[in-house]
Amino acid sequence: MVKRKVGALEKVDADLPNLQYKIRRDPPSYADDFGNQYRVYESFRELFLQNPAQSDESGLVSFRDQIDFISHVADCYPKVTAEFPNDLIKIISQHHAELEPELREKIVGSLVLLRNKDIIDSSLLLGTLFPILVSTPSKSLRALLFTKILSDLRSSNAKTTNHRLNRDVQKELYNLLTSDRSSSKGIWAVKITRELWKRQIWTDSRAVEIMKEASLGDNEKVITSGVRFFLGGDKEREEAAEESSDEEDTIDMRSLRHQAGINKKTRKKEKDLKKAAATVKRKERKKNVPHPLNFSALHLLHDPQGFAEILFSKHLQNSKSKLNLEQKLLVLNLVSRLVGLHKLTITSLYSYFTKYLTRRQPSVTSFLACLAQSTHNLVPPEDLEPLVRKISDEFVTEAVAAEVCAAGLNAIREICVRQPLAMNETLLQDLVMYRKSKDKGVMMAAKGLLSLYREVGAEMLKKRDRGKDAAMGLRSGEQKAQRFGEEEAGGIEGLELLEKWKAEERRKKRVEQGLPPDAATDEEVDEEDDKDWDVESDSDSDDSGGWINVESDGEDIEISDSDDDERPTKKAKVDGTPSAGNGEQRESTQEKAAVEAQRISTLATTRILTPADLAKLNELRMAQGINNLLPANKRRKAAEIARHADDAVTSEQIESAAALAKKTSKAEKIAMAKGDRDEKHHSTTAIRKSKKEAEGKSTTNKEKARKKNFLMTLGKAKSKGKRSLVDTRKALRGHIDRQKKGGRRGNR
Amino acid sequence: MAKSAKHKKEKKKDFQKPKLKVGKAKPKAANFTDTSFKAKSIVLVQQSILAAAPSATSQFSHHLSMLSHKSDTQVKESLAYLTTALSTKPADAPLPQPITLILSKVQPLVHSASHGVRQQLLKLLQTLPPAELAGHTDQLLLWTRAGMTHLSTDIRSTSLDILEWLLLAAGDDVVSCAGGWFKTLKTFLGLLGWQARVDTDSHWTSNRAVSSKPSDAKAQGRTLMALAALLRAGLAPPKDDGKDLGPVNNFPLWRTDAHMARGGFAHLNLFGPPRDEESEMYGDRGDRQRIFYERFQSSITAGLGMAKKEGGEVGRAAAAVRRAMSEGMADYGD
């Protein structure tokens, strides 16, 4: 008889991890062993199912171990373990409330593991975990499930967006919110959506719809979290994006390579270095990819008017609403934000404010900010006028404190910036008188109002208050008060600069070619455009950006072909030569306006601006901004414009004027002057040393020798003197050998 | 050599003579014991003579609760106590605790890592009255089956011992409980490495399973003997067939016992989860024969042929299995 081979498992009393390792290496050979273990698992499952709430330690531990083992090797025996995921799902969904916590965690972890091994799909996993998340009373399980659900959604959206899964999950969340509006379970839908929004995994309108439903719910928690999302979700997303981009330059390739040259070379370190290089490369590539265009949640709403109306009538106007003041303020903030942003019309909103515009109202500045926010140029002045009057009566009087007065004036100014017609002449003149106030905050606020009306409605001011510019503008008829509903014709800022530059370039080229400077031909324009579509190709010549110039197929990009030949000449007629541009400014304003209009119509409406054009436009704009140094008040105006229309008005802005008057204490001044610099002085060596310590490096042998306790060295010195000659020689020889070898463990 | 100046000073202090002064009490020595106290009674904290010793029942339950102790020796001692308590009790006296409670405490010990605990457990089980076991075998069988395929060979062999005892004590109950027939047989096939022929999903046709599965011939022999016992319990014709045939004795009823369902209405499975073929109850011998014929006979015959060739103990055991099988299946298909 042939001597049979002894299997490794029979030699030692093997444990499950050992078997797992062996199965991973050679699944078919260990199929029998696995079959036995699977049977053990089945027995334990039956035992467990007879009494799921049991807390018998030994049985549970082995059941847990078996589950862990089988889920780790389930991909090797798909036929045997076909029922395994379903069993786990059944156990966790039926008994999650009474299961022993550790076992529960293990089952959840195993399910996620099976998902990662692609044995079950995401929708099944999420379909299992989500109902448990909503219904379980255990806090720790909820936290675990929440992270698992999020990470699964993230990983399944990592490479490409998994639209189907997202749609399913979003539908599930939507149903959760709409099925029972009064329950607080909807908070989980909101939490998940917000987290995914923050990570830019969900950026579509469906996610926004979920949040919309949440803010229209009946439960206070759900309402506030939904409203908070609209007010702060986008900012949170931006911050998260910035944070992740900050992380980019943490890997220092040079120092890594240097270290690799010095330290012991192992395969692991080599792998690490390669990985780091790949990461750096990936990040480099990512930097060149154009920034994804993400719309804010407020812009992705389908029906802002309906949403704002329902929000207002349900949570604010409704006397049965259970929200407290803080929550109401949040909702009011959102409503006014929507109204201001989308220029909606909710007539009853303004009369709603009247009740709250009193001095004694808590957090009245927030109400004032909301009112300013909800004002836009299409709000009827009749609605706003009583409010402005009420603010001025309540806040802007001699009887109140200076801060209150400044806040009132500031609020009035913020309203009038958006709708100048809300002010009448007498009131304005009264308010402007406050610029003579002794308090700095009130004075500044009143001056702000004055400078605003010098621009938008100078004729309402007294003659001596109008200032030089406004008076001249009024006389020449250039400055006119806008009427209700009138819209200013807009253009692209700096477009005329671009056009001028283009004409100049063309002229230069034609002079080079020896052609007459005017009258362009088509092909010239074409070739120019071809390369302009790819901005990147100018700066970095090596690679990438291939996809950007897909659109340019060498055809004519100009839209209107009819005036192709005439256009440049016509323009030249109007413009004159670029050198004559300065003289042109002295011409009458009507003609200038006509020229402006012409320019806008020719460039922006007949051509598609290429990325190169836009880059140049930006550059020119910047150059011009530096060239004409604006006077101080105009600079302030520019800053005002720079404040984006999407940004909210906050109560801090209303209160800011009062802060001007506040005297800072000496300590505060010193602190401000110091900024966030390090106050303690360190020597260079100390700095180096602390840096070394922070990097987790140890000290050198030299340093250790230097720092050694004196008493500890004494004994050795004494014994050294007593050594025999042979011992001394041995020690010295050993030292030389070690030097040659490169240390005790060898330097290889 | 003294270690330091401090040590030297301390050492010197020990040998200094204390100064005695006139009119002052002599200083007490360092090892002086104060004997001036007077006690009226002496109290021994540890022992209580008056307290009544705990009753046998309470001691029994105490030791039962000690079975989940973490120390193996403690568990073993408790098991030994329980064994003696059960074996010394008069035959007609009831058990100190209900058998369900005892079994639920005892059965996890099948998987105990300690050999001594398992041997003691076997002894304890053997002292349990077989009459009480009926109806409680299914849980114990589950534990035993899990033990039979355990990674450790030691636990496997103990589990086989327990199974053999179970078959002796309540054989009929074991084979007819839910999953007791099909799953146990399947476990045996897995143990012997014959199951590849049952679920023919792999095209792997080596006979390595036969030779390499149990670590030595002895263990395989033991497994085969246990299998033979199982087959006898499941397939053998009931012995009391002819004895109870008197229709005259209870005239209006004819062969009631044959028509009576064993185990009440358990086979209807009114409250449990739905059962599949594997976990079904096969309470009738005919059912068992049918299942055996359909699912197991061919693979077992093939495996036996291979085992018989090995000769020795394995061969003998295989012959025993074959005999049990042929006896049990003799009247099938008539």
Side-chain angles (χ1 to χ4, degrees), chain B residues 196-275:
Chain B
R197 290 168 197 83
V198 179
D199 352 299
T200 46
D201 54 344
S202 71
H203 306 288
W204 197 254
T205 53
S206 89
N207 58 355
R208 76 169 265 288
V210 175
S211 55
S212 79
K213 212 51 246 170
S215 62
D216 50 6
K218 205 174 162 197
Q220 198 180 359
R222 286 233 36 223
T223 318
L224 283 171
M225 292 307 285
L227 176 60
L230 177 70
L231 289 183
R232 268 198 299 278
L235 297 177
K239 281 162 202 141
D240 48 359
D241 250 0
K243 186 181 74 182
D244 217 30
L245 262 180
V248 197
N249 293 355
N250 33 10
F251 154 68
L253 303 171
W254 284 70
R255 298 208 174 194
T256 14
D257 57 331
H259 296 293
M260 218 143 69
R262 203 174 270 121
F265 295 103
H267 66 287
L268 291 178
N269 188 29
L270 290 175
F271 303 109
R275 289 168 176 162

Side-chain angles (χ1 to χ4, degrees), chain A residues 4 10 13-16 19 29 32-33 35-37 39-40 42-44 46-47 50 56 58-59 79-80, chain B residues 108 111 139 142-143 145-146 149-153 183 186-187 190-191 195 201 208-209 211-215:
Chain A
R4 76 183 179 84
E10 296 160 46
D13 201 11
D15 49 349
L16 282 176
L19 180 59
S29 305
D32 288 347
D33 291 301
N36 284 341
Q37 291 315 305
R39 226 155 283 134
V40 175
E42 279 180 334
S43 313
F44 275 121
E46 270 172 51
L47 275 172
Q50 285 177 358
D56 170 36
S58 62
K79 272 189 188 160
V80 185
Chain B
H111 290 251
Q139 281 224 4
L142 274 176
W143 280 98
R145 270 212 309 268
T149 46
H150 200 276
L151 272 177
S152 153
T153 42
K183 285 196 172 173
K186 219 176 148 196
T187 311
L191 263 184
Q195 104 258 35
D201 54 344
R208 76 169 265 288
S211 55
S212 79
K213 212 51 246 170
S215 62

Side-chain angles (χ1 to χ4, degrees), chain A residues 362-376:
Chain A
S363 54
V364 68
T365 45
S366 303
F367 279 102
L368 289 173
C370 286
L371 174 56
Q373 203 167 232
S374 64
T375 313
H376 52 84

Side-chain angles (χ1 to χ4, degrees), chain A residues 53-71:
Chain A
Q54 68 180 341
S55 57
D56 170 36
E57 197 48 43
S58 62
L60 280 181
V61 168
S62 27
F63 187 42
R64 215 158 58 211
D65 289 347
Q66 294 291 344
I67 288 178
D68 188 44
F69 166 73
I70 291 173
S71 54

Side-chain angles (χ1 to χ4, degrees), chain A residues 49-116:
Chain A
L49 283 178
Q50 285 177 358
N51 185 13
Q54 68 180 341
S55 57
D56 170 36
E57 197 48 43
S58 62
L60 280 181
V61 168
S62 27
F63 187 42
R64 215 158 58 211
D65 289 347
Q66 294 291 344
I67 288 178
D68 188 44
F69 166 73
I70 291 173
S71 54
H72 269 100
V73 293
D75 51 335
C76 301
Y77 308 103
K79 272 189 188 160
V80 185
T81 57
E83 274 302 298
F84 179 65
N86 290 337
D87 287 344
L88 289 188
I89 288 173
K90 226 180 278 166
I91 290 177
I92 187 88
S93 35
Q94 283 174 1
H95 307 293
H96 64 86
E98 53 197 8
L99 274 181
E100 193 251 351
E102 235 173 307
L103 177 65
R104 199 169 57 189
E105 236 162 76
K106 177 58 77 188
I107 292 179
V108 173
S110 301
L111 280 174
V112 173
L113 183 67
L114 292 176
R115 157 73 200 108
N116 291 343

